[in-house]
Amino acid sequence: MRNLRNVRRSLLSSPDGLLLTAAAWDVGSDSIICAYGPTKHDSLIQLKRWKPSHRPTGSNSAELEHITSWDAPCPLPDLDCDMVLDLKYFSHSSTICIVLRGGDIVVVRENPQYGEEKIEIVGSVDAGISAAAWSPDEELLAICTIADTFLFMTRDFESVMDVNFTSDDLKASKHVSVGWGKAETQFKGKGAKALRDPTMPEKVDEGLLSRHDDRHCTISWRGDGAYVAVNSLQASSRRVIRVYTREGVLDSVSEPVDGLESSLSWRPTGNILAGIQRQDSQIDVIFFERNGLRHGQFGLRLSKEEMESWGSKAVLKWNVDSSVLAVCFKDRVQLWTMGNYHYYLKQEIDLPLREANDEPELFVWHPEHALRFTTGSDGNLQQFDNIFHIAASAPSPPNDYGIVAVIDGKNLKLTPLRIANVPPPMALQELTMTSSVVDVAILNPNQASIGAKIAILVNRNISLYFWNLQEKPVQSPQLVSLQRTHGHEDSKPFKRGLINQQIVWGGDECLLVLQSCANGTTILTYRVQDENISFMSSTTDRPLLQTIVTSIAGMTSNPYLFAADGQVFHDSALRSPKAVANSLPKEPLAMFPKSTCKIEIVDLFNPDLDPASSGNHIIPFGLSSNGSLFAHERCLAKDCTSFLLTPAHLVFTTTQHLLKFVHLATVSELEVPPDTPEVDERCRSIERGARLVTVIPSISALILQMPRGNLETIYPRALVVAAIRRDIDEKRYKKAFLACRNHRVDMNILYDYAPLDFIVNVSLFVDQVRKVEYIDLFLSQLREEDVSKTMYKETLQARSISTNPAQREDSPRFGVESDTSKVNSICNAILEVLKTRASTNLQNIISAHVCKHPPDLEAGLLVVAELQKNYPDKAEKAVEHICFLADVNKLYDNALGLYDLELALLVAQQSQKDPREYLPFLQNLQELPLLRRHYTIDDYLGRHTKALGHLYNLSVFEEFKSYVVKHTLYEAALQLSRYEEDEFEGIMGLYADYLFRESRYKESGIAYEYLNNYASAYEAYRLAHLWEESLSAATMVPLERSALESLARTLAGSLVELKDYHSAATVHLDYLKDVESAARIFCQGYFFTDATRILGLHQRSDLLEPVVDAGLAEGMASMTELLAECKAQINAQVPRIRELRIKKVEEPLAFYDGDVNGGADIPDNVSLAATDASTTGGSLFTRYTNRTGTVGTNATRRTSKNRRREERKRARGKKGSVYEEEYLVNSIGRLIDRVNAVGDEVGRLIVGLMRRGMRERAKAVEGAMIEVVRLCKENVGEVFQSEEKAQAVTDDVKSRAEDTERPTGGDGVLWDSIEETQARREAPVVKEFEKLSLVGN
């Protein structure tokens, strides 16, 4: 679908009397080395350098830099003069090599060193040279002599190979054709003629010579320099193409071809060799494989008259990237490209015929720039720069028909891709012009026009066509006007160097034509009005212009000019009816690199903004030849292969085979999406090598062309969702719904994008969608997820606060209240609208009930039941629909739950149930009394609470109690029997026994005590360790003294085990009257004050020393030991945590591989060995911290056995493992909790020691406690990280975890460990320890 557009042309007029004979490119300075002479009248050869300028002057002769000249008489007597066969420039050594037909090989040094000559004949072939060519790597020179010998010479011009062309060479290849692609090999059915051998052609070529054969020899190298082909005459009877290896070994020869001429060009990619075959009625470009077999062809479309005149000679030249084949004739050059196995004639450049010369035009491709070439004609040398350009209509809705024009010589192929996606090389319509098409411009229909306008530029004319695309079927475009371009009124525009380059629309009634002439570039302005084209003005500009573009999305269509030096100008005066000279603005709008090959401009002008700032919203985008995409001077991407603009997006493809969308905004706000097609709607994968053709925003379509030439239409999610959002904003719910349906977009977006708008406009939604099946489809896809924040998250950065309250973040999500179910809110709103439309939307009403979360099956069945009573004919259809939406078994149960046996029967008939099962069951239910029937149904459905209510109403208490016990319905039974005391107490007794059996002793004891069953109550309380309640109930039995004391001892012992020393001491004191035991237990709990008090109360001061003092000593010893252990733990673990964290930062790979001990062998860490990392393609560090990509899959770590083993390792936190840091941090946290817990005990211990005169011991305990508390406070911030750092790490962990799936097995355990380690953990608070001033610390 791409055309060749000429964007730059430079013209050199040769000095008078000099004949241009050869040219070569100097890629270092991007200049052209020109060779003038020798001629019949002058044997002088002159070398000159021409560097084309962006500001060409009239004659350009001043731009020629003389290099050298010398006299070169021809040594061969049969030649009138010598001839330059090959001219090569070596940039790195500033050396020129010239191969002459007379046999001399001349080297010219621009900057000769000491002892070197400027001009030197480095070699000579006595027999003369017929052809010569340097290899692509410039290391070998292949020479074919007039004596039919073939030579290889090195860069130092030493011969390394010399072979003769003999007839035996023809035996090198044994050609066997199997008829690939031939009509004879195609199956034609049973009615076909008797099959013949497809490998035997109908006519065997003998290699007859063409009558136009020039008897020349041609050499062509393959692009990699590994092979070279020679096209020469064999015994003056036939042409043979010989293929030699780089070492000079004959590889193959071509099969005989009648009419084969001397032209030969090996495609640089290496797959085919191109040659010319002349037949009686046509000229074909034929292709050979390296083995010499034919491989396709295409015709040059010449008439017999043209074949005899300017088509009598033809030369082929492939460009450097094999994309264009140049066919050079006497007075013109044709540029051909291939797509979908069809060859298109993209450009035909007419040149003046070289006087007194029957040879084709001089033509040289640039060795680096694929679409740059130079060509020579009579007295002139021209340089052309082309680009691949897609001639398509602007993607501006709603008239974006996606019209694409493909140039193919005189034919113009037109296809509106929105209407008919016709694959190339076919087209919906074809127009045939009088001469080859140069360029084409398409103007979309507007409000005043129902058809598109197509302006076609040929060599001398402009043709205007009108195409009515609304007519069905679409007819061919109609010619409405034909105008000769300005400057082509006479018959000799070549003398002025005048050619047409481009044509663009400058508005609805303005056409702009870019011309190139000897004095620079000229812009012609034409008015298009009333189906006529009239010339308005011409503008001459000094700079060499490259392209004219217009804004694709804006309020105006002002033209913009792109100069060859990279400057972009905005010139609205081009549409003026007066001629203007040198009218370019002084200040450019933007400056792009000189290598920029394509620009497009978008106008983001917003009438609501300040008009004075509108210039800041004109953004030019440019793509350079190296793939850099620019917006003004900002580089957006460096791997771009093609791009397009829509009114809302910048769309481009990358070398990574991704398609990206950028929301249009100011240059600084343009946001290029990352390479994440799986999570970002602005990025998606495409086929390798695909290029953009056009975009049709009105149908959300994007057309791509694959490398082989076929088209592919896709509907990118970014365009589709953007269109859906736009339709929702404009309340076009049906269009948005159909887009969701056609493109498989989740229909929840219809509500989620603007919740309040949808709820308010539910009636409008139902009216627009209308179809019952469409509303059902919408209801069936509802779910609670907010897709506008997940899969269809808005990527457009809002530049202002939205005025639509339905789109504000603080608006309620689900209608009336934010905590209401979204699905239920929508269903209820639709049900409210459908209340008055039951006759037409009955099916939707049922669907709305069933689609709720959870499904309201009963409400749906009630609708069916109502129909069954009033409209029996509709009931069956309704029940079929509800059975389709929901599980029929659940519907059957819900129908039974409504106690409607007829409805249950209707539902059962729609199910797969066996009538022998449900019919007897329903019949039995029908025969039962009403309450018994309800009980049976509820019991069958498992609704035991309701069944219990029916059973209670039947007044069968024994059955009632059995049912309560069977189904554990004690609470419901208590509620039912609350007004019947006897029944209530009976149920309470059963409940108490049940609670006792279930070890719910406290509740059981309360129930027993409610029933005055104190004997059972005190036992239940005892088991619940409720000593006060147990002893109270025991005294109410009443128990004997011995039994009561036994109970008290039992309770006291269990309380000591539970470390409830205060309660245990109280039991000993109050119920056992054991003062000494009570005091000892008080001391065990550090309640020394209470112990001293009761000893004084009972006048047992004799026990102070053996009980209290001994308890103080024992308590001090245990507490001192505990505090010492805490201090030692802090001093050991905190430095280790610090060391691990430093190691993790400095050597993360070693840390996560488990080597945190500097290479020490740690057997317990084998589960984290490097073998796992190697199989996943990344280290554990990248897998569990950076989370780049999917976590590796290693089956040996995903088993439950490995998971349990990993969990045990994590729990141990062994030194050297990756779990050590987590274990140490948790250990410090537990230590701080323990220190906080013993603070009160330490305080009571210190007071007790001081009261008993043990000040030094109190001082030691207090000092140890103060030291531990200090250490905890000093290290808690470091261990648990600071607030800011912890929050930052937590946010980072959360953001990365959202994009990565948690692994399973042992990897999952490590994942959890790292998540907890890196995530923020709230630091524990270290309680202040209140010192006792009397101690003196």
Side-chain angles (χ1 to χ4, degrees):
M1 307 298 283
R2 299 186 298 175
N3 301 320
L4 277 177
R5 169 179 275 188
N6 177 228
V7 295
R8 187 183 304 171
R9 176 200 180 222
S10 299
L11 178 64
L12 172 68
S13 298
S14 299
D16 295 337
L18 295 183
L19 177 64
L20 180 67
T21 56
W25 286 94
D26 176 6
V27 295
S29 61
D30 202 20
S31 58
I32 302 173
I33 306 299
C34 305
Y36 294 94
T39 63
K40 295 179 180 179
H41 310 291
D42 187 1
S43 61
L44 185 69
I45 297 178
Q46 299 186 43
L47 295 182
K48 297 179 180 294
R49 180 189 300 272
W50 175 44
K51 187 171 184 180
S53 172
H54 297 316
R55 298 179 178 271
T57 58
S59 65
N60 291 318
S61 59
E63 297 184 11
L64 279 175
E65 174 189 344
H66 181 75
I67 299 176
T68 189
S69 62
W70 72 96
D71 192 52
C74 181
L76 299 180
D78 55 342
L79 294 178
D80 294 336
C81 65
D82 216 336
M83 179 187 300
V84 179
L85 294 179
D86 184 76
L87 176 64
K88 181 70 175 179
Y89 185 84
F90 301 97
S91 299
H92 64 281
S93 61
S94 300
T95 304
I96 304 171
C97 178
I98 301 176
V99 180
L100 300 175
R101 188 175 183 83
D104 291 339
I105 303 174
V106 182
V107 171
V108 177
R109 302 177 179 89
E110 285 193 279
N111 302 309
Q113 302 295 322
Y114 179 76
E116 293 182 339
E117 298 181 1
K118 186 176 184 65
I119 303 173
E120 180 182 359
I121 300 177
V122 295
S124 183
V125 178
D126 296 337
I129 300 175
S130 59
W134 283 92
S135 64
D137 59 1
E138 301 178 348
E139 293 296 331
L140 285 179
L141 174 61
I143 297 176
C144 185
T145 69
I146 298 177
D148 286 342
T149 59
F150 189 51
L151 310 175
F152 275 174
M153 300 184 74
T154 66
R155 181 67 175 275
D156 297 327
F157 302 100
E158 296 179 359
S159 178
V160 294
M161 189 275 297
D162 183 356
V163 297
N164 294 321
F165 294 155
T166 65
S167 58
D168 292 338
D169 295 342
L170 304 182
K171 303 176 184 178
S173 297
K174 296 180 180 179
H175 303 117
V176 177
S177 174
V178 295
W180 292 118
K182 297 289 186 180
E184 294 84 352
T185 62
Q186 309 305 311
F187 178 70
K188 300 178 181 179
K190 297 181 179 179
K193 297 180 180 180
L195 293 178
R196 52 183 296 276
D197 187 355
T199 64
M200 298 298 295
E202 296 180 359
K203 176 180 178 298
V204 179
D205 285 357
E206 301 176 6
L208 299 178
L209 291 178
S210 167
R211 59 189 179 89
H212 288 279
D213 194 294
D214 56 9
R215 314 187 79 80
H216 288 174
C217 178
T218 307
I219 301 175
S220 181
W221 286 85
R222 199 170 76 169
D224 59 358
Y227 293 90
V228 62
V230 183
N231 184 352
S232 62
L233 285 175
Q234 177 63 38
S236 300
S237 59
R238 59 163 285 195
R239 281 206 166 268
V240 177
I241 299 176
R242 295 174 171 85
V243 177
Y244 289 90
T245 66
R246 189 180 179 90
E247 291 74 26
V249 178
L250 181 64
D251 184 72
S252 63
V253 297
S254 64
E255 62 177 293
V257 177
D258 291 344
L260 181 65
E261 296 191 349
S262 61
S263 181
L264 179 67
S265 182
W266 201 327
R267 195 178 188 189
T269 54
N271 55 342
I272 53 176
L273 297 93
I276 293 291
Q277 181 186 24
R278 186 179 298 270
Q279 302 179 10
D280 294 337
S281 59
Q282 65 181 14
I283 299 177
D284 293 335
V285 175
I286 60 175
F287 301 113
F288 294 91
E289 298 177 9
R290 199 194 78 196
N291 57 14
L293 291 176
R294 290 277 299 273
H295 189 87
Q297 63 190 41
F298 71 91
L300 292 179
R301 309 173 191 172
L302 304 184
S303 65
K304 288 188 176 181
E305 293 76 10
E306 293 171 338
M307 291 172 57
E308 296 298 327
S309 57
W310 54 264
S312 60
K313 299 292 182 181
V315 174
L316 302 178
K317 298 284 184 70
W318 284 103
N319 70 334
V320 67
D321 66 351
S322 305
S323 60
V324 182
L325 175 63
V327 183
C328 307
F329 297 102
K330 291 182 179 180
D331 64 346
R332 68 196 63 197
V333 174
Q334 294 182 348
L335 303 179
W336 295 77
T337 65
M338 192 268 285
N340 248 16
Y341 306 101
H342 174 81
Y343 278 84
Y344 299 85
L345 174 54
K346 292 300 182 182
Q347 283 283 347
E348 185 173 78
I349 304 171
D350 291 335
L351 302 170
L353 185 64
R354 304 178 71 180
E355 298 179 359
N357 196 337
D358 197 35
E359 294 298 322
E361 299 291 347
L362 174 66
F363 185 93
V364 183
W365 284 107
H366 196 285
E368 292 183 355
H369 299 284
L371 300 179
R372 179 180 297 175
F373 61 88
T374 183
T375 180
S377 59
D378 185 25
N380 294 320
L381 184 64
Q382 302 182 72
Q383 174 189 330
F384 289 87
D385 280 87
N386 295 287
I387 62 170
F388 280 117
H389 170 74
I390 295 177
S393 58
S396 301
N399 298 316
D400 49 341
Y401 286 94
I403 304 173
V404 178
V406 180
I407 297 174
D408 190 9
K410 298 179 181 180
N411 299 323
L412 184 67
K413 301 174 182 290
L414 295 169
T415 303
L417 294 171
R418 177 176 169 181
I419 298 174
N421 195 343
V422 181
M426 298 180 291
L428 184 66
Q429 298 290 343
E430 286 195 25
L431 301 177
T432 302
M433 314 306 293
T434 57
S435 59
S436 295
V437 178
V438 175
D439 198 13
V440 60
I442 305 170
L443 182 65
N444 279 335
N446 52 28
Q447 295 180 354
S449 173
I450 61 173
K453 297 177 182 178
I454 304 172
I456 303 173
L457 180 67
V458 295
N459 288 337
R460 300 188 180 187
N461 299 322
I462 300 175
S463 300
L464 179 63
Y465 283 81
F466 179 80
W467 198 5
N468 186 356
L469 295 171
Q470 296 184 2
E471 186 179 7
K472 303 297 182 181
V474 177
Q475 301 298 319
S476 178
Q478 301 298 315
L479 178 66
V480 296
S481 182
L482 180 65
Q483 174 72 33
R484 186 173 291 273
T485 54
H486 183 69
H488 287 86
E489 292 82 1
D490 54 19
S491 59
K492 295 183 179 180
F494 294 116
K495 292 185 177 180
R496 300 187 300 274
L498 186 65
I499 65 170
N500 292 329
Q501 290 181 284
Q502 301 171 23
I503 185 170
V504 297
W505 285 96
D508 293 343
E509 298 180 352
C510 178
L511 271 174
L512 302 175
V513 176
L514 181 65
Q515 284 187 340
S516 175
C517 60
N519 296 323
T521 54
T522 302
I523 300 176
L524 306 179
T525 304
Y526 293 86
R527 180 180 295 278
V528 180
Q529 195 171 18
D530 298 331
E531 299 183 353
N532 291 318
I533 302 177
S534 58
F535 176 73
M536 287 176 57
S537 63
S538 64
T539 304
T540 304
D541 300 285
R542 289 180 179 176
L544 188 64
L545 294 181
Q546 180 166 323
T547 307
I548 308 175
V549 294
T550 56
S551 172
I552 62 98
M555 305 300 293
T556 62
S557 298
N558 289 333
Y560 299 85
L561 307 178
F562 180 45
D565 58 359
Q567 298 185 82
V568 180
F569 298 94
H570 179 201
D571 191 359
S572 59
L574 289 175
R575 296 185 294 182
S576 172
K578 297 181 180 180
V580 182
N582 305 328
S583 65
L584 284 182
K586 294 181 180 180
E587 294 296 331
L589 178 66
M591 184 70 183
F592 288 128
K594 293 182 180 180
S595 60
T596 302
C597 56
K598 176 184 178 182
I599 71 165
E600 288 194 15
I601 296 176
V602 65
D603 187 357
L604 299 180
F605 176 69
N606 187 346
D608 298 332
L609 299 178
D610 182 10
S613 64
S614 62
N616 296 329
H617 299 278
I618 299 175
I619 305 178
F621 293 88
L623 175 63
S624 65
S625 57
N626 62 1
S628 297
L629 179 62
F630 293 90
H632 270 291
E633 285 78 18
R634 179 187 172 190
C635 182
L636 300 178
K638 294 186 177 181
D639 57 351
C640 178
T641 56
S642 62
F643 80 95
L644 288 174
L645 287 176
T646 74
H649 295 93
L650 162 67
V651 189
F652 67 94
T653 57
T654 71
T655 55
Q656 301 300 317
H657 322 300
L658 296 175
L659 176 68
K660 293 189 176 184
F661 293 82
V662 179
H663 295 287
L664 290 181
T666 59
V667 175
S668 60
E669 294 175 339
L670 292 173
E671 181 183 357
V672 180
D675 297 347
T676 54
E678 63 278 357
V679 297
D680 196 331
E681 69 179 26
R682 298 171 297 170
C683 181
R684 65 164 288 170
S685 299
I686 56 175
E687 186 174 336
R688 180 184 297 271
R691 296 289 193 278
L692 294 170
V693 175
T694 188
V695 60
I696 311 175
S698 59
I699 60 172
S700 305
L702 186 73
I703 292 86
L704 298 165
Q705 187 168 29
M706 304 302 113
R708 55 187 172 275
N710 61 307
L711 299 181
E712 179 178 336
T713 300
I714 63 174
Y715 298 87
R717 192 65 75 196
L719 291 181
V720 172
V721 177
I724 292 172
R725 294 188 184 112
R726 187 166 54 251
D727 292 334
I728 294 174
D729 287 336
E730 298 175 4
K731 307 298 185 295
R732 298 195 299 260
Y733 288 110
K734 182 176 182 180
K735 187 176 180 181
F737 172 85
L738 292 177
C740 293
R741 178 174 177 265
N742 294 337
H743 300 293
R744 301 182 65 85
V745 175
D746 196 310
M747 293 188 181
N748 285 272
I749 194 176
L750 298 175
Y751 172 86
D752 292 335
Y753 178 65
L756 287 185
D757 274 359
F758 185 89
I759 294 297
V760 172
N761 296 283
V762 166
S763 178
L764 178 62
F765 171 80
V766 174
D767 291 338
Q768 289 185 0
V769 176
R770 185 173 298 178
K771 285 190 177 182
V772 173
E773 56 269 25
Y774 284 176
I775 298 176
D776 273 356
L777 179 62
F778 170 72
L779 291 171
S780 63
Q781 293 195 7
L782 292 176
R783 64 180 191 275
E784 297 296 340
E785 178 188 355
D786 183 0
V787 297
S788 67
K789 294 182 178 179
T790 54
M791 64 174 67
Y792 305 127
K793 185 177 180 181
E794 177 62 85
T795 54
L796 177 62
Q797 300 295 329
R799 290 184 288 273
S800 61
I801 299 176
S802 175
T803 58
N804 183 2
Q807 299 179 29
R808 293 177 62 92
E809 293 185 358
D810 56 353
S811 63
R813 282 291 313 136
F814 306 129
V816 181
E817 299 178 0
S818 59
D819 56 350
T820 306
S821 168
K822 163 188 145 181
V823 176
N824 293 348
S825 297
I826 298 173
C827 291
N828 290 334
I830 291 180
L831 286 172
E832 188 66 26
V833 173
L834 298 180
K835 277 183 180 180
T836 59
R837 311 183 189 186
S839 59
T840 58
N841 294 83
L842 180 64
Q843 181 174 315
N844 298 142
I845 294 175
I846 296 173
S847 299
H849 286 300
V850 175
C851 291
K852 289 183 179 180
H853 286 174
D856 193 355
L857 299 180
E858 290 189 1
L861 289 171
L862 286 175
V863 175
V864 177
E866 186 69 22
L867 289 175
Q868 193 176 20
K869 293 178 182 179
N870 302 325
Y871 306 98
D873 54 330
K874 296 182 179 180
E876 185 173 355
K877 185 176 180 181
V879 78
E880 288 180 2
H881 179 65
I882 197 172
C883 290
F884 170 75
L885 293 176
D887 185 357
V888 68
N889 295 318
K890 293 183 179 179
L891 287 172
Y892 176 74
D893 293 343
N894 278 271
L896 281 177
L898 296 175
Y899 312 117
D900 190 338
L901 300 183
E902 293 183 2
L903 180 61
L905 178 61
L906 191 62
V907 173
Q909 289 173 347
Q910 299 295 327
S911 69
Q912 301 297 322
K913 292 179 178 291
D914 189 349
R916 292 175 297 180
E917 296 178 2
Y918 65 80
L919 283 179
F921 175 69
L922 295 177
Q923 290 173 354
N924 292 337
L925 290 177
Q926 186 69 31
E927 297 172 357
L928 294 176
L930 183 62
L931 286 178
R932 179 60 70 172
R933 182 193 307 163
H934 290 179
Y935 161 74
T936 306
I937 290 174
D938 289 330
D939 182 60
Y940 170 78
L941 296 177
R943 302 189 300 191
H944 302 299
T945 301
K946 294 186 69 174
L948 184 66
H950 299 309
L951 202 59
Y952 183 80
N953 292 331
L954 288 172
S955 301
V956 283
F957 188 64
E958 292 302 324
E959 185 178 356
F960 177 77
K961 290 196 298 182
S962 301
Y963 198 80
V964 168
V965 173
K966 179 180 180 181
H967 297 290
T968 320
L969 301 173
Y970 300 102
E971 296 179 12
L974 290 174
Q975 183 66 20
L976 290 171
S977 60
R978 62 187 180 277
Y979 300 117
E980 298 293 336
E981 185 177 352
D982 294 339
E983 296 177 359
F984 184 82
E985 291 182 354
I987 297 300
M988 182 65 77
L990 294 175
Y991 195 18
D993 294 340
Y994 167 77
L995 292 173
F996 191 87
R997 291 194 301 271
E998 294 295 320
S999 301
R1000 296 164 62 181
Y1001 299 116
K1002 179 180 178 180
E1003 295 175 339
S1004 175
I1006 294 173
Y1008 282 131
E1009 194 167 6
Y1010 177 86
L1011 298 173
N1012 297 325
N1013 187 355
Y1014 297 110
S1016 300
Y1018 88 80
E1019 183 63 22
Y1021 285 137
R1022 181 186 67 80
L1023 294 173
H1025 304 293
L1026 300 174
W1027 64 275
E1028 293 170 311
E1029 290 83 352
S1030 179
L1031 291 171
S1032 175
T1035 57
M1036 297 295 293
V1037 173
L1039 287 181
E1040 295 181 357
R1041 182 65 186 175
S1042 59
L1044 185 61
E1045 290 179 354
S1046 176
L1047 176 61
R1049 288 191 182 90
T1050 303
L1051 287 172
S1054 63
L1055 291 172
V1056 170
E1057 291 178 359
L1058 295 174
K1059 298 188 183 301
D1060 188 357
Y1061 298 108
H1062 199 282
S1063 297
T1066 303
V1067 171
H1068 274 281
L1069 186 63
D1070 293 346
Y1071 288 91
L1072 298 178
K1073 309 302 180 181
D1074 189 351
V1075 177
E1076 182 178 354
S1077 297
R1080 292 185 185 278
I1081 294 175
F1082 273 130
C1083 291
Q1084 284 183 336
Y1086 294 91
F1087 297 103
F1088 299 103
T1089 300
D1090 291 325
T1092 305
R1093 180 185 60 81
I1094 64 171
L1095 290 178
L1097 178 64
H1098 294 280
Q1099 298 181 358
R1100 294 296 303 276
S1101 58
D1102 57 311
L1103 295 177
L1104 286 175
E1105 185 174 345
V1107 175
V1108 176
D1109 291 351
L1112 285 170
E1114 183 179 351
M1116 176 193 171
S1118 60
M1119 189 59 68
T1120 302
E1121 182 180 0
L1122 172 63
L1123 294 176
E1125 290 177 355
C1126 292
K1127 181 178 178 181
Q1129 181 179 344
I1130 294 174
N1131 291 332
Q1133 292 182 343
V1134 171
R1136 180 59 177 171
I1137 293 174
R1138 189 181 302 120
E1139 177 186 350
L1140 290 173
R1141 288 176 176 171
I1142 293 174
K1143 183 76 170 180
K1144 181 166 59 175
V1145 173
E1146 294 179 350
E1147 299 182 31
L1149 182 60
F1151 179 85
Y1152 284 100
D1153 277 340
D1155 186 13
V1156 294
N1157 287 326
D1161 186 16
I1162 306 173
D1164 284 343
N1165 212 25
V1166 292
S1167 63
L1168 302 176
T1171 54
D1172 184 56
S1174 63
T1175 58
T1176 61
S1179 68
L1180 288 172
F1181 174 68
T1182 58
R1183 289 168 54 204
Y1184 295 111
T1185 56
N1186 289 342
R1187 303 193 174 92
T1188 56
T1190 305
V1191 176
T1193 56
N1194 188 337
T1196 62
R1197 300 198 55 172
R1198 296 185 181 274
T1199 62
S1200 58
K1201 177 180 178 182
N1202 285 333
R1203 178 179 54 81
R1204 291 193 299 268
R1205 182 181 65 182
E1206 207 72 20
E1207 287 174 350
R1208 290 194 299 268
K1209 287 176 159 185
R1210 181 183 178 188
R1212 289 198 305 267
K1214 186 174 181 179
K1215 184 175 182 180
S1217 69
V1218 291
Y1219 305 116
E1220 183 184 358
E1221 181 189 359
E1222 178 192 14
Y1223 177 82
L1224 294 178
V1225 171
N1226 293 335
S1227 178
I1228 294 295
R1230 292 192 297 269
L1231 181 145
I1232 294 174
D1233 293 338
R1234 177 60 176 152
V1235 171
N1236 290 336
V1238 301
D1240 294 337
E1241 295 179 359
V1242 173
R1244 295 197 298 269
L1245 176 61
I1246 293 172
V1247 172
L1249 289 170
M1250 288 296 296
R1251 291 182 63 185
R1252 295 299 297 165
M1254 305 176 185
R1255 183 174 178 275
E1256 294 300 325
R1257 294 184 180 184
K1259 185 176 181 179
V1261 173
E1262 187 180 68
M1265 183 64 184
I1266 292 173
E1267 178 66 14
V1268 171
V1269 171
R1270 182 186 64 79
L1271 290 174
C1272 291
K1273 287 183 177 181
E1274 290 178 352
N1275 295 291
V1276 66
E1278 178 184 358
V1279 172
F1280 295 94
Q1281 300 182 342
S1282 64
E1283 185 79 12
E1284 295 79 6
K1285 182 177 180 181
Q1287 185 64 43
V1289 172
T1290 302
D1291 295 341
D1292 179 62
V1293 170
K1294 288 181 179 179
S1295 63
R1296 290 181 296 179
E1298 291 175 355
D1299 302 330
T1300 313
E1301 182 182 359
R1302 178 190 180 278
T1304 58
D1307 287 345
V1309 178
L1310 182 55
W1311 174 285
D1312 294 338
S1313 172
I1314 296 177
E1315 288 283 344
E1316 294 182 14
T1317 302
Q1318 293 183 345
R1320 176 189 176 192
R1321 176 180 174 182
E1322 186 176 355
V1325 178
V1326 181
K1327 290 183 179 181
E1328 292 287 346
F1329 178 71
E1330 186 177 354
K1331 297 187 292 184
L1332 188 62
S1333 61
L1334 296 174
V1335 176
N1337 277 317

